[in-house]
Short mmCIF file of all heavy atoms in Angstrom, two decimals:
data_model
loop_
_atom_site.label_atom_id
_atom_site.label_comp_id
_atom_site.label_asym_id
_atom_site.label_seq_id
_atom_site.Cartn_x
_atom_site.Cartn_y
_atom_site.Cartn_z
N ALA A 64 0.83 -1.22 -0.02
CA ALA A 64 -0.02 -0.01 -0.03
C ALA A 64 0.91 1.26 -0.01
O ALA A 64 1.92 1.28 0.60
CB ALA A 64 -0.96 0.01 1.22
N SER A 65 0.37 2.24 -0.72
CA SER A 65 1.06 3.56 -0.68
C SER A 65 0.07 4.67 -0.60
O SER A 65 -1.12 4.43 -0.98
CB SER A 65 1.92 3.67 -1.95
OG SER A 65 1.09 3.68 -3.09
N GLY A 66 0.47 5.81 -0.07
CA GLY A 66 -0.43 6.93 -0.10
C GLY A 66 -1.16 7.14 1.22
O GLY A 66 -1.74 8.20 1.37
N ARG A 67 -1.15 6.17 2.14
CA ARG A 67 -1.82 6.36 3.38
C ARG A 67 -1.27 5.33 4.37
O ARG A 67 -0.94 4.26 4.07
CB ARG A 67 -3.37 6.14 3.26
CG ARG A 67 -4.16 6.49 4.46
CD ARG A 67 -5.61 6.18 4.21
NE ARG A 67 -5.87 4.76 4.20
CZ ARG A 67 -7.02 4.22 3.85
NH1 ARG A 67 -8.02 4.97 3.40
NH2 ARG A 67 -7.21 2.90 3.87
N THR A 68 -1.26 5.71 5.64
CA THR A 68 -0.81 4.83 6.65
C THR A 68 -1.74 3.68 6.79
O THR A 68 -2.97 3.74 6.64
CB THR A 68 -0.62 5.58 7.97
OG1 THR A 68 -0.20 4.58 8.96
CG2 THR A 68 -2.00 6.18 8.48
N PHE A 69 -1.23 2.51 7.12
CA PHE A 69 -1.97 1.31 7.29
C PHE A 69 -2.73 1.29 8.66
O PHE A 69 -3.75 0.66 8.79
CB PHE A 69 -1.07 0.09 7.28
CG PHE A 69 -1.19 -0.73 6.06
CD1 PHE A 69 -1.79 -0.26 4.95
CD2 PHE A 69 -0.59 -1.97 6.06
CE1 PHE A 69 -1.95 -1.04 3.80
CE2 PHE A 69 -0.73 -2.72 4.91
CZ PHE A 69 -1.33 -2.25 3.78
N SER A 70 -2.19 1.98 9.67
CA SER A 70 -2.62 1.79 10.99
C SER A 70 -4.09 2.09 11.20
O SER A 70 -4.58 3.05 10.75
CB SER A 70 -1.83 2.73 11.90
OG SER A 70 -2.20 2.57 13.30
N GLY A 71 -4.82 1.15 11.83
CA GLY A 71 -6.22 1.37 12.18
C GLY A 71 -7.21 0.79 11.13
O GLY A 71 -8.38 0.99 11.26
N TYR A 72 -6.69 0.22 9.99
CA TYR A 72 -7.57 -0.19 8.97
C TYR A 72 -7.50 -1.72 8.83
O TYR A 72 -6.55 -2.37 9.18
CB TYR A 72 -7.23 0.45 7.64
CG TYR A 72 -7.36 1.99 7.71
CD1 TYR A 72 -6.34 2.75 7.94
CD2 TYR A 72 -8.65 2.47 7.48
CE1 TYR A 72 -6.52 4.16 7.98
CE2 TYR A 72 -8.90 3.85 7.53
CZ TYR A 72 -7.79 4.66 7.80
OH TYR A 72 -7.97 6.08 7.83
N ALA A 73 -8.52 -2.27 8.22
CA ALA A 73 -8.55 -3.72 7.97
C ALA A 73 -8.15 -3.98 6.50
O ALA A 73 -8.36 -3.15 5.57
CB ALA A 73 -9.98 -4.25 8.15
N MET A 74 -7.47 -5.13 6.30
CA MET A 74 -7.04 -5.49 4.98
C MET A 74 -7.64 -6.84 4.69
O MET A 74 -7.73 -7.72 5.53
CB MET A 74 -5.55 -5.58 4.88
CG MET A 74 -4.74 -4.27 5.11
SD MET A 74 -4.97 -3.21 3.64
CE MET A 74 -4.13 -4.15 2.39
N GLY A 75 -8.05 -7.04 3.49
CA GLY A 75 -8.68 -8.26 3.08
C GLY A 75 -8.14 -8.79 1.79
O GLY A 75 -7.60 -8.01 0.94
N TRP A 76 -8.25 -10.10 1.60
CA TRP A 76 -7.97 -10.79 0.35
C TRP A 76 -9.24 -11.42 -0.18
O TRP A 76 -9.98 -12.03 0.64
CB TRP A 76 -6.90 -11.90 0.50
CG TRP A 76 -5.44 -11.38 0.60
CD1 TRP A 76 -4.80 -11.16 1.77
CD2 TRP A 76 -4.58 -11.01 -0.40
NE1 TRP A 76 -3.56 -10.76 1.56
CE2 TRP A 76 -3.43 -10.59 0.13
CE3 TRP A 76 -4.72 -10.96 -1.79
CZ2 TRP A 76 -2.23 -10.16 -0.57
CZ3 TRP A 76 -3.60 -10.52 -2.53
CH2 TRP A 76 -2.39 -10.16 -1.90
N PHE A 77 -9.51 -11.17 -1.42
CA PHE A 77 -10.69 -11.74 -2.10
C PHE A 77 -10.22 -12.46 -3.35
O PHE A 77 -9.09 -12.22 -3.79
CB PHE A 77 -11.77 -10.73 -2.41
CG PHE A 77 -12.48 -10.17 -1.25
CD1 PHE A 77 -11.80 -9.26 -0.39
CD2 PHE A 77 -13.74 -10.53 -0.99
CE1 PHE A 77 -12.48 -8.75 0.74
CE2 PHE A 77 -14.39 -10.01 0.16
CZ PHE A 77 -13.78 -9.13 1.05
N ARG A 78 -11.03 -13.31 -3.97
CA ARG A 78 -10.66 -13.92 -5.21
C ARG A 78 -11.90 -14.07 -6.10
O ARG A 78 -13.04 -14.11 -5.60
CB ARG A 78 -10.00 -15.28 -4.97
CG ARG A 78 -10.92 -16.38 -4.37
CD ARG A 78 -10.14 -17.62 -4.04
NE ARG A 78 -11.00 -18.63 -3.51
CZ ARG A 78 -10.53 -19.80 -3.04
NH1 ARG A 78 -9.21 -20.07 -3.00
NH2 ARG A 78 -11.41 -20.71 -2.60
N GLN A 79 -11.66 -14.11 -7.40
CA GLN A 79 -12.72 -14.22 -8.35
C GLN A 79 -12.29 -15.25 -9.45
O GLN A 79 -11.28 -14.98 -10.20
CB GLN A 79 -13.11 -12.92 -8.92
CG GLN A 79 -14.32 -12.98 -9.82
CD GLN A 79 -14.91 -11.60 -10.08
OE1 GLN A 79 -14.24 -10.57 -9.93
NE2 GLN A 79 -16.15 -11.58 -10.52
N ALA A 80 -12.97 -16.33 -9.52
CA ALA A 80 -12.75 -17.33 -10.53
C ALA A 80 -13.63 -17.05 -11.77
O ALA A 80 -14.67 -16.33 -11.65
CB ALA A 80 -13.03 -18.74 -10.02
N PRO A 81 -13.24 -17.47 -12.93
CA PRO A 81 -14.00 -17.23 -14.17
C PRO A 81 -15.50 -17.65 -14.03
O PRO A 81 -15.78 -18.81 -13.56
CB PRO A 81 -13.31 -18.04 -15.25
CG PRO A 81 -11.95 -18.15 -14.74
CD PRO A 81 -12.02 -18.27 -13.28
N GLY A 82 -16.41 -16.75 -14.31
CA GLY A 82 -17.80 -17.03 -14.23
C GLY A 82 -18.43 -17.05 -12.88
O GLY A 82 -19.59 -17.43 -12.65
N LYS A 83 -17.64 -16.68 -11.81
CA LYS A 83 -18.09 -16.73 -10.49
C LYS A 83 -17.99 -15.36 -9.86
O LYS A 83 -17.26 -14.43 -10.34
CB LYS A 83 -17.32 -17.76 -9.66
CG LYS A 83 -17.48 -19.18 -10.04
CD LYS A 83 -16.79 -20.14 -9.12
CE LYS A 83 -17.02 -21.59 -9.49
NZ LYS A 83 -16.32 -22.52 -8.52
N GLU A 84 -18.70 -15.14 -8.76
CA GLU A 84 -18.61 -13.91 -8.07
C GLU A 84 -17.36 -13.78 -7.20
O GLU A 84 -16.79 -14.79 -6.83
CB GLU A 84 -19.89 -13.74 -7.19
CG GLU A 84 -21.17 -13.61 -7.94
CD GLU A 84 -22.38 -13.33 -7.05
OE1 GLU A 84 -22.21 -13.35 -5.83
OE2 GLU A 84 -23.44 -13.07 -7.53
N ARG A 85 -16.99 -12.58 -6.92
CA ARG A 85 -15.85 -12.33 -6.05
C ARG A 85 -16.16 -12.85 -4.67
O ARG A 85 -17.24 -12.55 -4.12
CB ARG A 85 -15.48 -10.85 -6.05
CG ARG A 85 -14.14 -10.59 -5.38
CD ARG A 85 -13.70 -9.17 -5.64
NE ARG A 85 -13.53 -8.85 -7.02
CZ ARG A 85 -13.03 -7.75 -7.58
NH1 ARG A 85 -12.56 -6.79 -6.72
NH2 ARG A 85 -12.88 -7.52 -8.85
N GLU A 86 -15.26 -13.58 -4.07
CA GLU A 86 -15.54 -14.09 -2.76
C GLU A 86 -14.42 -13.86 -1.76
O GLU A 86 -13.25 -13.67 -2.11
CB GLU A 86 -15.67 -15.66 -2.84
CG GLU A 86 -14.49 -16.39 -3.30
CD GLU A 86 -14.70 -17.96 -3.24
OE1 GLU A 86 -15.79 -18.35 -2.99
OE2 GLU A 86 -13.65 -18.64 -3.52
N PHE A 87 -14.78 -13.81 -0.48
CA PHE A 87 -13.88 -13.55 0.59
C PHE A 87 -12.87 -14.69 0.78
O PHE A 87 -13.30 -15.86 0.68
CB PHE A 87 -14.67 -13.29 1.90
CG PHE A 87 -13.84 -13.29 3.12
CD1 PHE A 87 -13.09 -12.16 3.42
CD2 PHE A 87 -13.82 -14.38 4.00
CE1 PHE A 87 -12.29 -12.17 4.56
CE2 PHE A 87 -13.06 -14.33 5.15
CZ PHE A 87 -12.26 -13.21 5.41
N VAL A 88 -11.63 -14.38 1.04
CA VAL A 88 -10.62 -15.37 1.33
C VAL A 88 -10.11 -15.23 2.72
O VAL A 88 -10.13 -16.12 3.54
CB VAL A 88 -9.48 -15.28 0.36
CG1 VAL A 88 -8.34 -16.19 0.69
CG2 VAL A 88 -9.96 -15.56 -1.14
N ALA A 89 -9.60 -14.01 3.10
CA ALA A 89 -8.92 -13.82 4.36
C ALA A 89 -8.95 -12.32 4.71
O ALA A 89 -8.98 -11.54 3.73
CB ALA A 89 -7.60 -14.41 4.44
N ALA A 90 -8.94 -12.03 6.05
CA ALA A 90 -8.78 -10.60 6.36
C ALA A 90 -8.07 -10.47 7.67
O ALA A 90 -7.96 -11.41 8.54
CB ALA A 90 -10.20 -10.00 6.52
N ALA A 91 -7.47 -9.29 7.89
CA ALA A 91 -6.69 -8.95 9.10
C ALA A 91 -7.17 -7.63 9.61
O ALA A 91 -7.21 -6.66 8.92
CB ALA A 91 -5.29 -8.93 8.83
N ALA A 92 -7.68 -7.70 10.90
CA ALA A 92 -7.97 -6.44 11.56
C ALA A 92 -6.75 -5.80 12.17
O ALA A 92 -6.11 -6.46 12.98
CB ALA A 92 -9.00 -6.74 12.66
N TRP A 93 -6.45 -4.62 11.69
CA TRP A 93 -5.14 -4.08 12.07
C TRP A 93 -4.87 -3.86 13.58
O TRP A 93 -3.90 -4.26 14.06
CB TRP A 93 -4.95 -2.78 11.37
CG TRP A 93 -3.65 -2.61 10.80
CD1 TRP A 93 -2.61 -1.75 11.22
CD2 TRP A 93 -3.09 -3.31 9.62
NE1 TRP A 93 -1.52 -1.95 10.47
CE2 TRP A 93 -1.73 -2.86 9.47
CE3 TRP A 93 -3.56 -4.25 8.82
CZ2 TRP A 93 -0.92 -3.38 8.47
CZ3 TRP A 93 -2.76 -4.74 7.75
CH2 TRP A 93 -1.45 -4.32 7.63
N MET A 94 -5.88 -3.33 14.24
CA MET A 94 -5.68 -2.95 15.61
C MET A 94 -5.77 -4.10 16.57
O MET A 94 -5.03 -4.25 17.51
CB MET A 94 -6.68 -1.86 16.00
CG MET A 94 -6.53 -0.53 15.29
SD MET A 94 -4.84 0.19 15.52
CE MET A 94 -4.96 0.62 17.22
N SER A 95 -6.71 -4.96 16.26
CA SER A 95 -6.99 -6.09 17.20
C SER A 95 -6.02 -7.30 16.96
O SER A 95 -5.94 -8.26 17.72
CB SER A 95 -8.42 -6.55 17.16
OG SER A 95 -8.66 -7.15 15.91
N ALA A 96 -5.43 -7.33 15.76
CA ALA A 96 -4.55 -8.47 15.29
C ALA A 96 -5.40 -9.72 15.07
O ALA A 96 -4.85 -10.78 14.83
CB ALA A 96 -3.50 -8.74 16.38
N ASN A 97 -6.72 -9.61 15.02
CA ASN A 97 -7.52 -10.75 14.69
C ASN A 97 -7.42 -11.08 13.22
O ASN A 97 -7.29 -10.16 12.37
CB ASN A 97 -8.98 -10.54 15.07
CG ASN A 97 -9.17 -10.57 16.54
OD1 ASN A 97 -8.41 -11.11 17.31
ND2 ASN A 97 -10.25 -9.88 16.95
N THR A 98 -7.54 -12.33 12.84
CA THR A 98 -7.53 -12.74 11.42
C THR A 98 -8.84 -13.55 11.16
O THR A 98 -9.40 -14.19 12.10
CB THR A 98 -6.33 -13.57 11.04
OG1 THR A 98 -6.18 -14.67 11.94
CG2 THR A 98 -5.07 -12.69 11.12
N TYR A 99 -9.25 -13.57 9.93
CA TYR A 99 -10.43 -14.22 9.55
C TYR A 99 -10.18 -14.95 8.22
O TYR A 99 -9.48 -14.51 7.36
CB TYR A 99 -11.58 -13.23 9.26
CG TYR A 99 -11.77 -12.32 10.50
CD1 TYR A 99 -10.99 -11.19 10.69
CD2 TYR A 99 -12.80 -12.55 11.42
CE1 TYR A 99 -11.11 -10.40 11.84
CE2 TYR A 99 -12.94 -11.73 12.56
CZ TYR A 99 -12.12 -10.63 12.74
OH TYR A 99 -12.30 -9.80 13.79
N TYR A 100 -10.84 -16.11 8.09
CA TYR A 100 -10.69 -16.96 6.87
C TYR A 100 -11.95 -17.60 6.42
O TYR A 100 -12.79 -17.89 7.26
CB TYR A 100 -9.62 -18.10 7.18
CG TYR A 100 -8.27 -17.61 7.62
CD1 TYR A 100 -7.86 -17.42 8.94
CD2 TYR A 100 -7.32 -17.35 6.57
CE1 TYR A 100 -6.67 -17.01 9.27
CE2 TYR A 100 -6.01 -16.94 6.91
CZ TYR A 100 -5.73 -16.77 8.26
OH TYR A 100 -4.43 -16.32 8.60
N ALA A 101 -12.00 -17.74 5.10
CA ALA A 101 -13.09 -18.49 4.56
C ALA A 101 -12.92 -19.91 4.88
O ALA A 101 -11.73 -20.45 5.06
CB ALA A 101 -13.14 -18.29 3.03
N ASP A 102 -14.02 -20.71 5.10
CA ASP A 102 -13.88 -22.08 5.44
C ASP A 102 -13.09 -22.87 4.41
O ASP A 102 -12.37 -23.85 4.74
CB ASP A 102 -15.31 -22.72 5.56
CG ASP A 102 -16.04 -22.16 6.79
OD1 ASP A 102 -15.35 -21.68 7.72
OD2 ASP A 102 -17.26 -22.37 6.86
N SER A 103 -13.16 -22.46 3.15
CA SER A 103 -12.50 -23.20 2.12
C SER A 103 -11.00 -23.14 2.10
O SER A 103 -10.26 -23.89 1.56
CB SER A 103 -13.00 -22.76 0.74
OG SER A 103 -12.75 -21.32 0.63
N VAL A 104 -10.43 -22.08 2.85
CA VAL A 104 -9.00 -21.92 2.91
C VAL A 104 -8.49 -22.08 4.33
O VAL A 104 -7.24 -22.08 4.49
CB VAL A 104 -8.59 -20.59 2.32
CG1 VAL A 104 -9.19 -20.40 0.93
CG2 VAL A 104 -8.99 -19.42 3.26
N LYS A 105 -9.32 -22.22 5.29
CA LYS A 105 -8.91 -22.31 6.73
C LYS A 105 -7.93 -23.52 6.85
O LYS A 105 -8.22 -24.62 6.44
CB LYS A 105 -10.09 -22.42 7.57
CG LYS A 105 -9.83 -22.07 9.06
CD LYS A 105 -11.16 -22.03 9.82
CE LYS A 105 -12.13 -20.96 9.31
NZ LYS A 105 -13.29 -20.82 10.05
N GLY A 106 -6.82 -23.24 7.57
CA GLY A 106 -5.82 -24.24 7.76
C GLY A 106 -4.76 -24.41 6.64
O GLY A 106 -3.75 -25.09 6.77
N ARG A 107 -5.06 -23.77 5.48
CA ARG A 107 -4.16 -23.82 4.35
C ARG A 107 -3.51 -22.42 4.08
O ARG A 107 -2.36 -22.36 3.64
CB ARG A 107 -4.85 -24.31 3.14
CG ARG A 107 -5.45 -25.68 3.26
CD ARG A 107 -5.94 -26.24 1.93
NE ARG A 107 -7.08 -25.43 1.41
CZ ARG A 107 -7.05 -24.81 0.22
NH1 ARG A 107 -5.98 -24.87 -0.51
NH2 ARG A 107 -8.08 -24.12 -0.20
N PHE A 108 -4.34 -21.44 4.27
CA PHE A 108 -3.86 -20.02 3.90
C PHE A 108 -3.60 -19.26 5.19
O PHE A 108 -4.25 -19.45 6.19
CB PHE A 108 -4.88 -19.28 3.05
CG PHE A 108 -5.08 -19.77 1.68
CD1 PHE A 108 -4.58 -21.00 1.22
CD2 PHE A 108 -5.87 -19.06 0.81
CE1 PHE A 108 -4.69 -21.42 -0.06
CE2 PHE A 108 -6.08 -19.45 -0.49
CZ PHE A 108 -5.47 -20.70 -0.98
N THR A 109 -2.59 -18.38 5.16
CA THR A 109 -2.33 -17.50 6.28
C THR A 109 -2.20 -16.06 5.83
O THR A 109 -1.41 -15.76 4.89
CB THR A 109 -1.00 -17.95 6.97
OG1 THR A 109 -1.21 -19.34 7.44
CG2 THR A 109 -0.70 -17.11 8.16
N ILE A 110 -2.91 -15.18 6.48
CA ILE A 110 -2.74 -13.71 6.23
C ILE A 110 -1.86 -13.17 7.27
O ILE A 110 -1.95 -13.43 8.48
CB ILE A 110 -4.11 -13.02 6.11
CG1 ILE A 110 -3.95 -11.55 5.73
CG2 ILE A 110 -4.88 -13.16 7.43
CD1 ILE A 110 -5.30 -10.90 5.42
#
């Protein structure tokens, strides 16, 4: 990221396969350090 400080904001990863809608993959809450994952990637992906 450029142009603004990261602090205090949430960051997320999404993905979109051909012919499908964009879907949530993972997210990180900046201040709380909590992370979130889609069930399909839990245990395999790390944000």
